[in-house]
Amino acid sequence: PKQLQSKSFTQRYGVATSVMEYAGLNLWPKGYPQGTFWQTVLGPYDYYAIRWGYGRVAGARTPEAELPTLNQWASQWNNPLYRFASDEDVSYRDAHAIDPRVSQFDLTSDPLSWGEAQLKLSDHILQTLDHHFPQYGHTYDEERAAFESAFFTELANGARPEHYIAGEYLSRSHAGDRGAPTPLVQVSRSDELRAFSQMRRYLLGDDAWHFSPATLNRLVYSEWETIQGGAWAYNPPPRHDEPVAEFVEGTQQFVLQQMFQPLMLQRLDDLSLKAKPGSTMSLTDLFNWTQDAVYSDLKDPKLNSIGLIHRSLQQSYARMLGRLWLAPATSGMPYDAESLARAKLVSLRDDIGGALRRPNLDELTRAHLQNLADVVSRILDSRQVEQMR
């Protein structure tokens, strides 16, 4: 991070290793030094790749004679200036990608710290929009466009720590390359917990989302929209306001689906075969951490109200646990995941019962918890004929 805050560094090396990187905007909050915003020069990997492809190899008269030198040049994987990864290495949607250092639109060798700085920056922008938009005499489309820019950036950075779940650092070095690590090195449990804690704080937790009602009441559109390159005319958005709850809930469900898909759960379960117990996260950790993020407020003796976004998350996650237990996917869902899903539903039933005994619940929160209790009971009391796998 300190290097990317240095203009002398970024003017020489850029903000990423290559112009082919999907690099984020190198923007830092007030009080931080500020390097160049974008990739304005060739990166170190670009020079490295150009040299490998076109550099003169002294004394080599045939392509085969160049091989020893080319292999020597290519052996520098351990140098972070020369690392680069391909598109398939960011395929987190299907749990194929495993190395959290490989991502699009982030920066630095510490993506979690960078992401947290960006989250604080986005939050500050969202809280101060009313002071800057719209300009006098202009429409409120200006503020709506500015809100969407900061809000969707915040959603993306809130979800990105998911890349650390079941993470493994990947090396494509060859045997014998100097200083090269083993092909797979598990991300430490402490870093995975740090990532999940960041995701909980900014995306999943009961206190994660707060919006200024005054700002939300300004986010309208004009019948003739000109800010973002087009006119609504007779085809406007279905809502006049900005559906922030739906956007947040959609991102939350997307992240949960990524973490609890069969391949991810397989990989997490298999880590117990490759790492010392406690050195990296386990399948049990995933279920425990998520359960606590989604339902810890039920244990609060002063519980009075649960907000709209968190009520929806609690309902959708209970149903996800139900599907994991009652209808596990046939493509490799671990039995351990089924077992943990059932255990968490039993625990949740007890927590809901305790929460319903709170005397000061508002009417909607009580109705929500009663409905949630019924959902969990129907799942746990289900009788089904299971086809043998």
Side-chain angles (χ1 to χ4, degrees):
K2 288 189 178 298
Q3 289 173 320
L4 289 194
Q5 293 163 16
S6 165
K7 186 163 287 189
S8 62
F9 180 91
T10 57
Q11 285 177 338
R12 179 179 179 184
Y13 295 106
V15 301
T17 58
S18 172
V19 295
M20 295 300 292
E21 165 71 19
Y22 295 88
L25 173 63
N26 185 32
L27 180 64
W28 296 88
K30 286 183 178 181
Y32 288 83
Q34 178 64 56
T36 52
F37 295 110
W38 303 104
Q39 185 81 9
T40 57
V41 296
L42 292 177
Y45 178 85
D46 298 317
Y47 288 103
Y48 174 68
I50 291 169
R51 181 192 184 204
W52 193 93
Y54 302 101
R56 178 179 174 82
V57 178
R61 297 184 180 278
T62 66
E64 290 75 18
E66 294 182 350
L67 269 177
T69 299
L70 293 178
N71 286 337
Q72 182 184 12
W73 290 349
S75 69
Q76 300 180 57
W77 170 271
N78 200 42
N79 186 336
L81 292 177
Y82 300 149
R83 288 194 193 128
F84 198 66
S86 274
D87 289 342
E88 67 272 14
D89 290 321
V90 292
S91 186
Y92 290 98
R93 185 183 294 266
D94 60 3
H96 170 76
I98 62 173
D99 191 331
R101 299 172 301 184
V102 184
S103 188
Q104 296 169 329
F105 309 114
D106 69 348
L107 293 173
T108 85
S109 58
D110 184 4
L112 291 176
S113 291
W114 180 83
E116 185 152 23
Q118 299 305 302
L119 284 161
K120 291 178 179 178
L121 179 59
S122 298
D123 188 63
H124 173 74
I125 291 172
L126 291 174
Q127 299 304 319
T128 58
L129 277 180
D130 296 354
H131 303 309
H132 304 288
F133 297 98
Q135 295 184 31
Y136 181 78
H138 290 212
T139 71
Y140 283 89
D141 293 289
E142 287 182 350
E143 185 162 1
R144 184 182 178 113
F147 178 91
E148 288 178 352
S149 178
F151 177 54
F152 291 132
T153 297
E154 187 161 4
L155 283 175
N157 284 311
R160 194 174 283 117
E162 184 275 335
H163 297 173
Y164 279 78
I165 303 305
E168 297 182 85
Y169 299 124
L170 179 64
S171 171
R172 293 202 169 97
S173 57
H174 291 185
D177 288 352
R178 180 179 300 177
T182 55
L184 290 176
V185 176
Q186 288 72 45
V187 176
S188 70
R189 185 178 185 274
S190 60
D191 282 343
E192 287 165 311
L193 179 57
R194 178 183 167 212
F196 192 93
S197 298
Q198 185 169 310
M199 196 160 46
R200 171 177 178 163
R201 178 179 179 184
Y202 292 103
L203 182 67
L204 299 175
D206 60 308
D207 201 36
W209 293 99
H210 297 283
F211 298 98
S212 163
T215 299
L216 295 182
N217 284 319
R218 295 158 65 98
L219 304 180
V220 297
Y221 66 87
S222 302
E223 289 301 321
W224 190 262
E225 192 275 331
T226 59
I227 299 299
Q228 301 184 76
W232 301 123
Y234 294 103
N235 187 31
R239 290 177 54 161
H240 286 80
D241 61 351
E242 194 77 8
V244 292
E246 285 73 16
F247 287 136
V248 174
E249 291 160 13
T251 303
Q252 290 174 333
Q253 291 180 26
F254 175 72
V255 167
L256 289 174
Q257 289 164 3
Q258 283 187 284
M259 292 194 298
F260 287 88
Q261 61 182 297
L263 181 55
M264 175 70 85
L265 299 175
Q266 285 178 29
R267 285 175 37 218
L268 259 176
D269 219 14
D270 289 351
L271 287 180
S272 63
L273 304 176
K274 295 188 286 184
K276 293 180 180 178
S279 64
T280 191
M281 75 176 292
S282 65
L283 191 64
T284 304
D285 284 331
L286 176 63
F287 279 84
N288 284 344
W289 296 349
T290 308
Q291 187 90 352
D292 192 54
V294 178
Y295 298 117
S296 63
D297 54 344
L298 302 187
K299 299 178 182 179
D300 182 358
K302 298 180 181 179
L303 180 65
N304 169 258
S305 178
I306 301 174
L308 165 63
I309 292 173
H310 207 62
R311 290 197 305 270
S312 296
L313 177 62
Q314 290 181 342
Q315 294 281 357
S316 63
Y317 184 59
R319 288 162 170 80
M320 174 179 282
L321 289 174
R323 290 191 296 272
L324 289 174
W325 182 48
L326 292 178
T330 58
S331 56
M333 182 73 72
Y335 291 116
D336 287 343
E338 294 180 47
S339 303
L340 286 166
R342 183 187 181 282
K344 293 307 168 188
L345 286 165
V346 171
S347 174
L348 176 58
R349 180 169 58 184
D350 294 339
D351 290 341
I352 296 171
L356 282 170
R357 290 191 288 272
R358 308 280 188 265
N360 298 318
L361 297 177
D362 65 43
E363 184 175 0
L364 183 53
T365 298
R366 185 172 296 279
H368 155 69
L369 291 175
Q370 289 170 337
N371 181 27
L372 192 60
D374 185 60
V375 168
V376 172
S377 293
R378 282 188 281 117
I379 293 171
L380 289 174
D381 294 340
S382 294
R383 296 292 181 267
Q384 61 178 347
V385 177
E386 181 178 351
Q387 293 183 351
M388 299 303 292
R389 286 202 259 164

